[in-house]
Amino acid sequence: METTQDRLLDISLRLFRSNWPRPMRYGLAVLFTLAVAGLKLSVPAFGAPGPDLFLTIPVAASAVVAGLGPALLATVGTTLIAAYFTPPAGFAFALNASGLDVIGFFFEGLVVAVLGASVRAAFRRTAESLDRREQLEQERTALIATVNHEIRNPLASLSGYLQLASRYARRDDMRERVSPSIDEAEQQVARLVRLADDLQVISSPNAVFRIEPEPFDLALAAHAAARRVAALDPVRDVTVNASDAPLVALADPARLDQILDNLLKNAVAYSPRGAPIEISTNAEAERAVIRVRDHGAGIDLAERDRIFERFVRGATVASQPGMGIGLYVSRAIATRMGGRLFVEESSSEGTVFAVELPLARVLDGDGDRPFWGGDRVRVEDRGEELDAVDEAGARTAEEGSTVDAHNARAAD
């Protein structure tokens, strides 16, 4: 019984909150009025005691379904019909009891029109309240999905590096590799702390993420991202096309890692099993650009901007799990870093996502110029960190570690 009531309520609310165009709403009032007139012509006894039935049917229906304006039109129309059928028949009007009934009917019609419109307004407010409640529930669900979406990669990496450190600590010939693994685990913990701060931001309509920009080599970030994919999906072929010369961007490296992880996770999820993924870096017009190319089904032209909105997903992946959060977060972060994230091209053979970031700049003897690699100490320092991760990753591959396999299953 409750299910039937819920369905009736849902149908009623849909009816009352329909934003029909003005001609349709007034057309409904005319239709209701003509229907009552036709019923009176077919059944002369209908409304014989007085014209009240003309009031209760078309005027009330027009007010509740179409609004006050159509209800007033129905009142005028039904008043004319009542005058026509009130003795003496026709539009002859006399100030007798019957004529006074018609006048009284008109004012009753006005009252019913106002009351019916008030009922309609109440139903519309109820419908809007239910819509808002549904939206809040969707945002709550999306927030939970964001937690799962955003922390899965750093948690998997943290678990993997801690297990590697534990394994190296038990072997005398590998203890020098414990420290790099612990350092990388600490970086993942710091990333989780920042993600925890982001969760409060993403729950608000206007997300503003904290950014800590610094110069860093974009090519090193691309290689590190490729290694993270290889750890989670060992059979996936991920190639990096980057120049040997440093391409130094001025952005937040941890935030870029977050963007790349989202793009690469989508590339893995929405591409055929074993399909390659390409990452490339370039400098274009004083902008550093990093591209991620997959070989999935592609994105329709009409959806290439909409997929960056919150809760929006492309039609080609609608049947797969997801909440439409990752690209929204990634674009917000890219914008905060002074860059942009967009779909550069897409077809049935795959999609290319591009991330543009500002190039780092330093002052030289001639003034301000794009920074391509002058700060070699900072670039080399970051390279040493990644070399340590490479060394640990290589050892993991040699041992056929089950840690990465476990993480891959967790990430799936």
Side-chain angles (χ1 to χ4, degrees):
M1 189 64 181
E2 292 182 357
T3 302
T4 303
Q5 292 177 352
D6 291 341
R7 289 179 179 176
L8 291 175
L9 178 61
D10 183 66
I11 292 173
S12 300
L13 293 177
R14 288 178 183 274
L15 181 66
F16 296 136
R17 67 187 171 193
S18 298
N19 294 319
W20 290 321
R22 182 186 296 262
M24 182 177 293
R25 291 191 293 114
Y26 281 89
L28 285 173
V30 173
L31 180 63
F32 292 151
T33 304
L34 293 178
V36 171
L39 182 60
K40 178 63 178 178
L41 288 173
S42 302
V43 185
F46 176 71
D52 290 345
L53 284 177
F54 293 105
L55 168 69
T56 57
I57 297 175
V59 177
S62 298
V64 173
V65 174
L68 180 60
L72 295 177
L73 177 62
T75 300
V76 173
T78 51
T79 299
L80 294 175
I81 295 173
Y84 179 82
F85 286 106
T86 298
F91 288 108
F93 184 77
L95 289 176
N96 53 22
S98 297
L100 293 177
D101 282 343
V102 174
I103 295 174
F105 163 78
F106 175 75
F107 287 103
E108 286 182 35
L110 294 180
V111 172
V112 172
V114 173
L115 292 177
S118 299
V119 171
R120 173 181 170 81
F123 270 106
R124 287 180 66 87
R125 286 194 296 270
T126 302
E128 291 172 358
S129 177
L130 292 176
D131 287 341
R132 177 57 180 164
R133 180 179 177 182
E134 182 179 351
Q135 181 182 358
L136 291 174
E137 180 64 21
Q138 185 183 39
E139 290 183 357
R140 184 189 68 83
T141 303
L143 183 60
I144 296 173
T146 301
V147 175
N148 179 61
H149 185 281
E150 293 298 321
I151 72 174
R152 183 173 292 179
N153 272 352
L155 278 178
S157 298
L158 176 61
S159 175
Y161 282 110
L162 289 177
Q163 291 183 52
L164 285 173
S166 176
R167 179 177 301 175
Y168 294 153
R170 292 194 295 267
R171 296 178 54 176
D172 293 338
D173 59 334
M174 302 293 291
R175 286 184 179 176
E176 71 278 1
R177 298 188 178 182
V178 173
S179 180
S181 297
I182 295 297
D183 290 343
E184 184 64 26
E186 289 178 350
Q187 292 181 16
Q188 298 303 322
V189 170
R191 184 176 172 186
L192 285 170
V193 171
R194 296 185 67 176
L195 286 175
D197 295 336
D198 292 345
L199 293 179
Q200 291 184 334
V201 175
I202 194 64
S203 63
S204 64
N206 299 316
V208 179
F209 297 93
R210 182 166 56 92
I211 301 298
E212 298 177 358
E214 64 177 78
F216 68 96
D217 190 352
L218 205 62
L220 295 179
H223 284 288
R227 284 192 291 271
R228 290 194 296 271
V229 175
L232 297 175
D233 189 359
V235 301
R236 183 75 59 169
D237 181 19
V238 183
T239 59
V240 178
N241 298 318
S243 172
D244 293 335
L247 177 60
V248 182
L250 180 61
D252 189 325
R255 292 299 192 184
L256 179 62
D257 289 345
Q258 190 175 348
I259 295 174
L260 293 177
D261 285 348
N262 281 332
L263 295 179
L264 291 168
K265 282 180 65 177
N266 287 346
V268 170
Y270 304 135
S271 298
R273 184 71 173 174
I277 299 172
E278 295 94 35
I279 307 173
S280 61
T281 62
N282 296 97
E284 301 174 2
E286 297 188 2
R287 306 284 283 182
V289 183
I290 184 166
R291 294 178 173 86
V292 175
R293 176 186 292 274
D294 64 42
H295 293 273
I299 303 170
D300 293 339
L301 181 62
E303 297 179 337
R304 293 181 189 177
D305 283 329
R306 291 188 65 252
I307 59 173
F308 293 101
E309 299 175 10
R310 184 157 35 181
F311 312 134
V312 175
R313 305 180 69 226
T316 57
V317 299
S319 61
Q320 301 189 40
M323 287 295 298
I325 295 294
L327 290 178
Y328 166 78
V329 172
S330 297
R331 171 170 274 189
I333 292 173
T335 302
R336 284 282 295 161
M337 293 193 295
R340 65 181 183 128
L341 167 63
F342 60 98
V343 177
E344 187 172 59
E345 61 180 87
S346 186
S347 68
S348 59
E349 297 180 355
T351 300
V352 178
F353 284 90
V355 183
E356 286 188 357
L357 298 172
L359 281 170
R361 293 174 176 269
V362 295
L363 291 175
D364 61 7
D366 298 328
D368 197 20
R369 66 174 178 82
F371 175 27
W372 292 84
D375 192 357
R376 298 304 297 271
V377 175
R378 183 182 297 275
V379 173
E380 290 169 3
D381 287 345
R382 185 165 174 81
E384 290 175 1
E385 295 178 5
L386 295 174
D387 288 342
V389 175
D390 280 342
E391 187 177 6
R395 182 61 185 172
T396 302
E398 293 173 1
E399 296 175 357
S401 172
T402 60
V403 174
D404 289 341
H406 172 75
N407 290 339
R409 288 193 296 271
D412 290 337

